Amino acid sequence: MKKGVKWFLLILALLLVFFVSLFLGRYMVSPARVVQILADAIRGNLSGGIEESVVLNIRLPRLLLTLLVGAGMAASGAAFQGIFQNPLVSPDVLGVSSGAALGAVIGIMIAGTGPLAMLLSMLAGIGSVILTYAFSKVRGQSTALSLILAGMIVQALMNALVSLVKYTADPYSKLPQITYWLMGSFSSASYKDVALVALPIGGSLLVLFLLRWRMNILSLGDEEAAALGVNPGRIRVIIIAASTLISASSVMIAGIIGWVGLVIPHVVRMMFGVDHQELIPASMVSGAIYLTLIDLIARSATEAEIPIGILTAIVGAPFFAVLFKRTGGADQ
């Protein structure tokens, strides 16, 4: 199948998922009514009914947030797998998710779920990656391998501290809040949340998009990259910084959502190949589609909403196992 046809089908799937997510759910709104509501919103002719509120004030901001987070996580996963030359790397390999989780649970302990928890989550996520980078330079030079190993250390430390905070939390008030937040959810999404993460995630996606051809060079190895006139250390730091900002913003706004950055780049690589010129933008679109579909299931499958982090693991782990078996463990 030609790449032009693949892109057409991918964009068509994105538009279809976008539209279906607006009318499908526990409170059904007919497709025709959704179109009418959107047209009325553009014309500024809204009546303020229940259906308008469901579509415009509940589903639309949630949909925009899932699109942003899904695109960001998938693109950062594809970027990490390229620059570290390891198909098993995911965006949280440097400890950003664990660090952001620690910041959030400390914030919840102090003041509950709110601005403080979000701020501490962002700062702790970024701080964890800075700590990882500092650990990786113990021998004076940071390499891809030393970064991964340092990330494992920081991730284990942050996970242990999260467990410690949960152990000391009030089991009747704070612990349920912490537990639910850690499982991930878009249930409280609002336009304020969209505005909060649009710039860091959108700006970081633009950076990854502009640097995608350099990822092809980094995937050859540091020596080959240096021979071609590219500073591998500097480019890797920029890509890590952009991916860290995406991951920290995502965890801050929706909790921990795994597997998207690991599974989606593999699927896209099977469709478009290993060239990051195609891989990065295709991962963005595919990640947005995937997370939106998972969120649709999370809020529609049962009367009580299922935490999205649980669903991404339930769907992602078996899918990755099948993918691994089909490819024989080889990167595509």
Side-chain angles (χ1 to χ4, degrees), residues 71-73 75-77 79-80 83 91 94 96 122 126 129 197 199-211 215 234-250 284:
M73 295 177 70
S76 58
F80 268 37
I83 66 173
L94 301 184
V96 58
M122 171 69 81
I126 296 173
V129 175
V197 300
L199 183 59
I201 294 181
S204 298
L205 283 173
L206 179 61
V207 170
L208 295 181
F209 181 81
L210 294 176
L211 292 178
M215 296 179 196
R234 183 170 59 189
I235 298 300
R236 187 179 291 115
V237 167
I238 295 174
I239 294 173
I240 288 174
S243 300
T244 296
L245 197 54
I246 290 172
S247 298
S249 300
S250 301
M284 293 180 189

Side-chain angles (χ1 to χ4, degrees), residues 216-293:
N216 287 336
I217 298 176
L218 289 182
S219 64
L220 300 175
D222 288 1
E223 293 183 2
E224 288 79 0
L228 292 171
V230 173
N231 186 328
R234 183 170 59 189
I235 298 300
R236 187 179 291 115
V237 167
I238 295 174
I239 294 173
I240 288 174
S243 300
T244 296
L245 197 54
I246 290 172
S247 298
S249 300
S250 301
V251 174
M252 173 189 72
I253 211 70
I256 296 180
I257 302 173
W259 290 94
V260 180
L262 178 61
V263 173
I264 296 302
H266 280 271
V267 176
V268 175
R269 210 174 280 116
M270 294 175 66
M271 296 170 57
F272 289 90
V274 298
D275 184 0
H276 287 81
Q277 297 268 37
E278 299 280 348
L279 182 62
I280 294 299
S283 293
M284 293 180 189
V285 178
S286 301
I289 294 171
Y290 174 73
L291 195 60
T292 302
L293 284 173

Side-chain angles (χ1 to χ4, degrees), residues 2-150:
K2 294 183 178 180
K3 286 186 178 180
V5 177
K6 293 178 182 178
W7 271 109
F8 173 77
L9 294 175
L10 206 57
I11 298 300
L12 183 63
L14 179 63
L15 295 175
L16 182 62
V17 167
F18 184 93
F19 184 64
V20 169
S21 295
L22 289 177
F23 72 79
L24 196 61
R26 290 194 296 272
Y27 186 94
M28 280 290 297
V29 181
S30 69
R33 179 60 179 145
V34 169
V35 173
Q36 182 183 357
I37 291 172
L38 294 177
D40 289 343
I42 294 173
R43 293 194 298 261
N45 189 28
L46 296 173
S47 62
I50 294 178
E51 292 181 337
E52 290 179 354
S53 180
V54 169
V55 172
L56 297 178
N57 298 328
I58 298 177
R59 290 182 183 169
L60 185 57
R62 180 168 182 156
L63 175 57
L64 294 175
L65 204 57
T66 56
L67 291 173
L68 269 174
V69 172
M73 295 177 70
S76 58
F80 268 37
Q81 290 172 11
I83 66 173
F84 289 118
Q85 307 166 53
N86 188 335
L88 297 180
V89 166
S90 62
D92 59 353
V93 69
L94 301 184
V96 58
S97 294
S98 301
L102 176 62
V105 298
I106 291 174
I108 293 172
M109 283 281 288
I110 297 172
T113 54
L116 179 61
M118 296 173 67
L119 176 62
L120 290 179
S121 176
M122 171 69 81
L123 295 178
I126 296 173
S128 294
V129 175
I130 294 174
L131 184 61
T132 295
Y133 190 75
F135 280 172
S136 72
K137 298 187 72 174
V138 170
R139 295 185 178 180
Q141 184 178 5
S142 178
T143 64
L145 179 60
S146 65
L147 274 169
I148 293 176
L149 294 176

